Amino acid sequence: QVQVVESGGGLVQAGGSLRLSCTASGLSFDDYAMGWFRQAPGKEREGVACITWTGGSTYYADSVKGRFTISRDNAKNTLYLQMTSLKPEDTAMYYCAAETPSWWLCDVGNYWGQGTQVTVSS
């Protein structure tokens, strides 16, 4: 019943920007922490950024600090990931997770979207 849907991925040149969006239905969007994860072929799934339900606290992976910004608009039931200064190593499938109870670790989620591909070319 719970559905999580990501959008906004695409192909971009190194140094460019993308904004990912995520909507969740079937749960109380503004009552749970949420996050973005990514996985590239041959690599472990990585928590990229997580955010508390109020948006007051965030987690970022060291690899994206200073370049990515996670935010949420609870009135619109939407989670965002603004990505700037993209690097080829950012290439991965990006997944939105609804309900990330250990947001400060950004390690698990209860509900997942289908993913959106981000490809950064040199």
Side-chain angles (χ1 to χ4, degrees):
Q1 193 69 30
V2 176
Q3 295 187 27
V4 180
V5 181
E6 307 95 333
S7 63
L11 175 64
V12 65
Q13 295 287 330
S17 301
L18 286 172
R19 187 182 69 174
L20 307 184
S21 299
C22 170
T23 59
S25 62
L27 50 74
S28 298
F29 185 89
D30 59 351
D31 286 345
Y32 301 99
M34 299 185 68
W36 291 96
F37 296 72
R38 67 185 182 186
Q39 188 168 24
K43 297 183 179 180
E44 297 288 332
R45 186 178 65 187
E46 174 187 24
V48 175
C50 285
I51 188 169
T52 59
W53 75 272
T54 63
S57 297
T58 57
Y59 161 92
Y60 292 98
D62 288 341
S63 59
V64 307
K65 286 181 179 177
R67 300 188 298 118
F68 291 10
T69 302
I70 188 171
S71 62
R72 66 192 298 164
D73 187 337
N74 290 343
K76 298 180 179 180
N77 293 333
T78 303
L79 178 74
Y80 302 99
L81 185 67
Q82 179 66 51
M83 305 184 295
T84 61
S85 301
L86 283 162
K87 304 175 180 179
E89 52 262 44
D90 294 318
T91 296
M93 184 71 73
Y94 284 70
Y95 298 92
C96 176
E99 296 190 5
T100 56
S102 51
W103 65 267
W104 58 94
L105 300 176
C106 204
D107 57 344
V108 295
N110 290 331
Y111 305 100
W112 298 87
Q114 81 289 347
T116 185
Q117 179 68 39
V118 173
T119 302
V120 184
S121 61
S122 301

